[in-house]
Amino acid sequence: MYSKEGDLILGGMFLVHSEYSSLELTFKNDPRPISCEGFHIRYYRDVLAMVFAIEEINQSQDLLPNLTLGFQIMDSCMSQIKAIGGVLELLSGIRKPIPGYKCHSGSMPAGIIGELMSSISVPMARILGVFHVPQISYGSVLSSLSDKLQFPSFLRTVPSSAFQNMALARLMEHFHWTWIGMIISDDDLGLQGGQDMKRLIEKHGGCVAFTEKVHLSYSRENILRVVHVAQSHAVKVIIVHSPEVHVKTLMDVFSEQNVTELVFVFSASFTLTFGLFNRVTWKLFNGSLGLSPHATKMPDFEEFLAHLNPSRDPNDTFIKLFWEKVFKCKWSKSEDTDTMTPMENMGRFCSENQTLDKKDFHLFELYDLSYTYHTYLAVYVLAHSLDNLMSCKAGQGPFMKGTCADVNNLQPWQVLHYVKNMNVSIGNGDTVSFDVNGDAPLAYDILNVQILNSDDVHLENVGRYDPRDGKGVTVNTNSILWAKFSQVPHSVCSEDCPPGYRKAGREGKPVCCFQCIPCSHGEIKDPDDCIQCPQHQWPNENHVHCKEKVIEFLSPDEPLGQILIISAALMTLLTASVLCVFIKYRDTPLVKGNNRGLSYLLLLSLMLCSFCPFIFIGQPRKLTCMLRQTVFGVVFSISVSSILAKTIIVVIAFKATNPNSSARKWLGWKTPSFIVFICSTIQVLICVVWLARSPPFPELNIISYKDKIIFECNEGEHLFFYCMMGYLGLLATISFIVAFLSRNLPGSFNEAKLITFSMLVFVSVWISFIPAYLSTRGKYMVAVEVFAILCSGAGLLGCIFLPKCYIILVRPDRNTRKHLVKKD
């Protein structure tokens, strides 16, 4: 025990030695005391922090004036048995404690600082809770210690593991690490924390590939099995949620097996104690990340360390071990041991005249003051609690009837009351208070291990997690040295699916292991599955987001529309030119002999047919939709009925060559006019009823094509459209039959032959139009109909009128009555 007298005593239970050995119990003799092994300067530093804080407080004029704090510090040696014995010794006041008995010459400890390890703090807390002695841990993070029913007097200056588990899950999410291994200690801390951590990691989209337990008592074969599991799962990131003493052997084996392509992420339970590991194993830590309770520098602490000397405090039972570590010496037989060592034979004896130099400070591992600083905080919390207890005024106290605590008969439960309600600001600006569970919800620092050379170990603060600000994890990625990787390591079970693919789980595998399946048409990746775009939208090329569908119609701005417009214009000009020729040569035998009036009417109707494409081309509107098919149907009915009338007149003319023939009465303008009127009127009536009952209207067709919207004219009731087209086909068929039957009439220029060819072209075009029209959609459907209109009009114009224009313009010698009536 390391002790110092004082008016008030603070107890301490620290991990100074990391191992212990004991003889096997035979139950025949008294058990031998546990032998402590593995002294570490890093752990001894926590003891020194408590001594330093108490010295500061004793020198302060503001905190506990006129009172001196003393201490009794014990080493748990990582043994629950030794820790329990030490606690009972502190409570009873004698080396061989009697539970429930107080044998102190003065007051018993006002509170106890410790322990670092949760596995040691739990049995301590159960005993101290019975006596309501305040216990303030500087490193135990086990979440179940927050249960005040089991541990009523336990408090801690570090956050509960519930906070660090969330911090680690958020950190995995931040770096997009979804395939993670976990190594936990085989104790309450590892088992409880591991389950909670796994749940949070999976909640944030990650998967735990494996969870393996370790313990310092495990055999080498068991450790080798853990290394094999880590290698077989091909993870790049492993979370270590265990005190460092339990994973020492594991890290050594990782190094021996040359398993170095890993990033270790250490929980706050793992204290980065490099003195515990050999220098070869250090390479594993380079580039690793770790959580550490937020710590700041303690003023004058390094100066305090510089003045350490065995002669300064003879009661310090640990300083001689520290001296041997620093100066690589041994104390002489008279000083410490009963036997000589080889080091003594070499003359390497320890001396109180030796002094610490700056070059020796690296042994203190001052790059990480986390738990040392929280030891310092714990002492100050107890000191401020005692100061508030001493400042109590009679009648205003917190206890029954306003009483205060009796300093000469101080009860631990009275101190506990003040500790629980403490809200103290330390000189460096940090504020410490406890919630109802006895936890101090302080921030975590995210540290990056950077080993620049064999002796230069640096912990770079690269981020922070503060559960109080709600901001989550903040990380400065640019400050991180990954060491084994050129960039942020990639740790996933399956690579993200490329654009246009969705994730599909693999049987018997975690959700992070998947295969990629293409998204269906019209779906986008969002983010792991495929979702359907709205009806008016369509996926982009990468199937990443939906974009507005292209609205398609036959536009005059596109090449197809322009070609049809030019063709329609040329057709109109050509028809107009023919009409002008016929008007100019209207008195010639050829024009007069072929029913001049019907020719004019047919040419005018063909000219109107040439205008029809202009109604079809362009954005559909209500008026143009109503006029498209109806104007086309009526105009073409006039054209075909004119041809029918011309054919019938030709037949009548040849039948009425005899002056006494009764057929002569049908000659003249009335018969053709009547035929054209009747035939056209029927089509007009069909169109009028159509417009009255179910007129065509513009609509956006989102069904025909998935990737675009067709802006088209809905024809209303399609029955009327088919009636109109059927009637037009009927007229054309009748005209063709009549012309075909009269093709052999005598005469050198028999117009019936021309009409037969023209109607053959007309019928052929529209028969071909039907399958083409029904097999296309959108602007191409409109283009097919426009093309049919132009081709049929051109067929009529070319077959009927161009031969006549040839005779009129090129062969006027044949434009005579004699030639026209000459028989073949």
Side-chain angles (χ1 to χ4, degrees):
M1 179 190 291
Y2 176 19
S3 63
K4 184 176 182 179
E5 293 297 324
D7 299 318
L8 296 172
I9 301 297
L10 302 183
M13 183 64 67
F14 287 85
L15 173 68
V16 181
H17 291 80
S18 63
E19 301 174 39
Y20 66 91
S21 63
S22 61
L23 296 175
E24 185 178 353
L25 294 176
T26 63
F27 300 99
K28 294 179 180 180
N29 302 310
D30 290 338
R32 298 292 299 275
I34 287 174
S35 175
C36 296
E37 300 173 356
F39 173 83
H40 289 287
I41 296 174
R42 164 64 189 81
Y43 297 139
Y44 175 53
R45 192 184 72 191
D46 298 339
V47 174
L48 295 175
M50 180 174 178
V51 177
F52 169 70
I54 289 176
E55 286 191 9
E56 267 193 346
I57 292 166
N58 287 339
Q59 294 171 9
S60 173
Q61 300 299 317
D62 300 322
L63 191 58
L64 294 174
N66 305 318
L67 284 175
T68 302
L69 286 179
F71 56 82
Q72 293 177 346
I73 298 175
M74 308 195 75
D75 181 7
S76 71
C77 300
M78 196 63 192
S79 167
Q80 293 182 345
I81 296 174
K82 190 167 179 61
I84 292 171
V87 167
L88 293 175
E89 184 177 339
L90 290 172
L91 293 177
S92 62
I94 56 176
R95 185 168 291 275
K96 290 188 176 182
I98 304 173
Y101 283 83
K102 174 185 174 184
C103 305
H104 293 275
S105 57
S107 61
M108 66 183 294
I112 293 180
I113 307 295
E115 221 263 2
L116 174 66
M117 300 294 174
S118 297
S119 58
I120 307 298
S121 288
V122 169
M124 287 176 56
R126 294 193 187 280
I127 296 172
L128 295 173
V130 173
F131 299 99
H132 297 282
V133 177
Q135 175 189 359
I136 304 179
S137 172
Y138 59 94
S140 299
V141 298
L142 181 65
S143 58
S144 62
L145 285 167
S146 300
D147 185 354
K148 294 302 105 179
L149 291 177
Q150 296 188 66
F151 312 103
S153 64
F154 179 85
L155 304 100
R156 48 190 163 194
T157 55
V158 291
S160 161
S161 62
F163 296 112
Q164 76 158 6
N165 294 343
M166 177 59 75
L168 287 170
R170 293 279 182 87
L171 191 62
M172 299 300 104
E173 183 183 29
H174 176 83
F175 287 113
H176 305 291
W177 292 333
T178 58
W179 191 235
I180 304 151
M182 279 181 56
I183 295 174
I184 62 175
S185 55
D186 191 4
D187 54 21
D188 288 345
L189 173 68
L191 298 175
Q192 292 181 21
Q195 289 179 359
D196 188 45
M197 199 181 301
K198 181 179 180 181
R199 178 183 60 83
L200 290 171
I201 288 173
E202 290 175 349
K203 180 181 178 182
H204 286 81
C207 294
V208 176
F210 62 87
T211 302
E212 290 295 324
K213 295 179 287 187
V214 293
H215 197 272
L216 58 84
S217 63
Y218 277 14
S219 66
R220 182 175 176 85
E221 289 73 21
N222 206 341
I223 296 298
L224 285 169
R225 184 190 61 80
V226 173
V227 173
H228 175 71
V229 169
Q231 289 179 297
S232 63
H233 283 82
V235 296
K236 295 294 184 184
V237 177
I238 295 180
I239 295 176
V240 179
H241 181 49
S242 166
E244 62 283 359
V245 293
H246 293 308
V247 296
K248 179 182 182 304
T249 305
L250 176 68
M251 292 300 174
D252 290 341
V253 174
F254 267 126
S255 181
E256 292 170 10
Q257 299 289 325
N258 198 29
V259 185
T260 57
E261 294 297 312
L262 293 172
V263 173
F264 290 100
V265 180
F266 300 108
S267 73
S269 308
F270 186 99
T271 307
L272 289 165
T273 309
F274 286 96
L276 190 66
F277 304 92
N278 60 55
R279 290 184 180 273
V280 177
T281 307
W282 281 17
K283 293 188 300 181
L284 284 175
F285 299 117
N286 197 17
S288 296
L289 299 174
L291 286 184
S292 177
H294 175 68
T296 56
K297 287 189 175 182
M298 296 171 284
D300 302 324
F301 183 57
E302 290 189 22
E303 184 179 349
F304 169 80
L305 297 177
H307 288 87
L308 288 176
N309 193 283
S311 62
R312 181 183 177 189
D313 192 350
N315 293 325
D316 189 346
T317 56
F318 309 114
I319 195 166
K320 289 188 176 181
L321 297 171
F322 166 71
W323 221 248
E324 290 180 353
K325 279 268 188 177
V326 173
F327 296 105
K328 296 181 175 58
C329 64
K330 280 288 183 181
W331 293 96
S332 67
K333 180 172 64 175
S334 60
E335 292 279 354
D336 190 55
T337 62
D338 295 329
T339 59
M340 298 294 286
T341 67
M343 295 184 92
E344 291 172 341
N345 295 331
M346 292 185 295
R348 293 290 295 166
F349 290 105
C350 299
S351 170
E352 294 179 353
N353 296 325
Q354 294 165 317
T355 57
L356 291 174
D357 195 84
K358 280 286 185 183
K359 64 182 177 61
D360 301 318
F361 269 47
H362 73 278
L363 297 171
F364 287 111
E365 302 182 30
L366 295 175
Y367 44 76
D368 175 27
L369 289 172
S370 54
Y371 294 107
T372 303
Y373 175 71
H374 284 270
T375 304
Y376 179 82
L377 288 182
V379 174
Y380 265 92
V381 167
L382 271 176
H384 278 277
S385 301
L386 291 170
D387 187 63
N388 289 346
L389 183 147
M390 299 299 175
S391 303
C392 178
K393 295 181 180 179
Q396 300 179 9
F399 308 118
M400 187 179 295
K401 298 181 180 180
T403 57
C404 297
D406 183 1
V407 180
N408 297 318
N409 186 25
L410 192 61
Q411 299 299 314
W413 61 268
Q414 295 171 328
V415 181
L416 181 60
H417 169 81
Y418 282 95
V419 173
K420 285 183 175 180
N421 295 281
M422 177 54 56
N423 190 330
V424 58
S425 293
I426 311 301
N428 56 20
D430 282 344
T431 300
V432 182
S433 62
F434 301 105
D435 59 21
V436 293
N437 297 318
D439 300 327
L442 301 176
Y444 280 109
D445 292 329
I446 301 172
L447 305 178
N448 176 225
V449 182
Q450 299 181 359
I451 304 176
L452 304 179
N453 55 57
S454 59
D455 291 319
D456 187 8
V457 178
H458 176 60
L459 294 185
E460 180 72 18
N461 191 331
V462 297
R464 180 182 176 90
Y465 174 74
D466 193 340
R468 297 168 296 182
D469 60 16
K471 294 181 179 178
V473 170
T474 56
V475 180
N476 182 7
T477 308
N478 294 329
S479 301
I480 297 177
L481 174 67
W482 294 112
K484 314 171 192 82
F485 303 92
S486 59
Q487 56 186 356
V488 178
H490 197 53
S491 188
V492 297
C493 180
S494 299
E495 295 293 337
D496 284 339
C497 291
Y501 288 77
R502 67 176 179 87
K503 297 177 181 179
R506 293 178 179 173
E507 187 175 355
K509 296 288 186 179
V511 294
C512 299
C513 302
F514 50 83
Q515 56 186 338
C516 296
I517 296 177
C519 290
S520 301
H521 290 294
E523 293 182 338
I524 61 169
K525 183 180 176 186
D526 181 46
D528 300 327
D529 204 353
C530 296
I531 62 170
Q532 189 73 36
C533 285
Q535 285 189 329
H536 62 282
Q537 293 183 336
W538 188 252
N540 66 339
E541 292 181 1
N542 296 328
H543 288 254
V544 174
H545 63 267
C546 296
K547 62 180 182 180
E548 293 295 325
K549 289 182 179 180
V550 176
I551 298 179
E552 182 183 272
F553 57 89
L554 186 57
S555 171
D557 297 326
E558 61 180 298
L560 179 59
Q562 293 171 350
I563 290 172
L564 293 176
I565 288 175
I566 293 171
S567 300
L570 292 176
M571 180 67 183
T572 303
L573 290 174
L574 183 59
T575 307
S577 300
V578 173
L579 178 60
C580 293
V581 169
F582 267 64
I583 292 174
K584 181 177 180 181
Y585 296 96
R586 60 186 178 275
D587 294 326
T588 61
L590 182 61
V591 175
K592 291 173 64 176
N594 282 280
N595 203 320
R596 183 170 49 190
L598 280 178
S599 296
Y600 293 158
L601 180 61
L602 179 57
L603 287 169
L604 284 173
S605 63
L606 288 177
M607 192 182 301
L608 292 176
C609 288
S610 302
F611 277 117
C612 284
F614 294 103
I615 307 176
F616 283 82
I617 298 172
Q619 180 176 316
R621 302 182 186 278
K622 185 177 181 180
L623 180 60
T624 55
C625 285
M626 294 175 66
L627 294 178
R628 277 185 182 183
Q629 304 295 353
T630 53
V631 169
F632 153 70
V634 170
V635 171
F636 261 88
S637 295
I638 295 173
S639 299
V640 176
S641 59
S642 298
I643 293 172
L644 178 60
K646 286 176 72 70
T647 308
I648 291 174
I649 291 300
V650 169
V651 173
I652 292 174
F654 278 98
K655 294 292 183 183
T657 54
N658 189 340
N660 298 321
S661 175
S662 60
R664 293 183 64 87
K665 63 180 180 180
W666 298 106
L667 295 175
W669 61 271
K670 292 183 179 181
T671 299
S673 299
F674 178 78
I675 294 172
V676 172
F677 176 77
I678 293 298
C679 294
S680 302
T681 300
I682 294 173
Q683 186 72 291
V684 169
L685 290 176
I686 293 173
C687 293
V688 168
V689 174
W690 183 6
L691 294 177
R693 288 284 303 275
S694 179
F697 59 90
E699 74 166 356
L700 297 174
N701 181 353
I702 60 176
I703 298 175
S704 297
Y705 291 96
K706 292 182 178 180
D707 58 343
K708 57 187 175 183
I709 298 174
I710 305 301
F711 199 176
E712 63 183 8
C713 289
N714 187 316
E715 307 301 349
E717 285 192 28
H718 288 80
L719 175 64
F720 291 107
F721 173 74
Y722 295 128
C723 288
M724 182 267 293
M725 292 298 293
Y727 179 71
L728 189 60
L730 177 63
L731 285 179
T733 303
I734 294 172
S735 298
F736 173 72
I737 291 172
V738 173
F740 180 78
L741 294 176
S742 59
R743 70 187 184 283
N744 293 321
L745 291 176
S748 63
F749 190 83
N750 187 354
E751 194 177 25
K753 293 180 181 180
L754 302 179
I755 293 174
T756 301
F757 283 115
S758 69
M759 294 314 299
L760 181 61
V761 171
F762 186 90
V763 172
S764 299
V765 167
W766 287 104
I767 289 176
S768 302
F769 159 79
I770 293 173
Y773 184 81
L774 295 177
S775 62
T776 55
R777 290 289 183 271
K779 64 181 181 181
Y780 298 105
M781 176 186 281
V782 177
V784 165
E785 188 168 358
V786 171
F787 183 75
I789 291 172
L790 293 176
C791 286
S792 58
L796 295 178
L797 181 67
C799 292
I800 296 176
F801 291 100
L802 289 186
K804 298 175 183 179
C805 290
Y806 172 79
I807 293 174
I808 292 172
L809 299 175
V810 179
R811 299 293 301 273
D813 57 305
R814 298 179 63 183
N815 189 4
T816 61
R817 180 177 177 81
K818 178 182 177 181
H819 184 77
L820 292 177
V821 298
K822 184 177 70 172
K823 299 187 180 200
D824 296 333

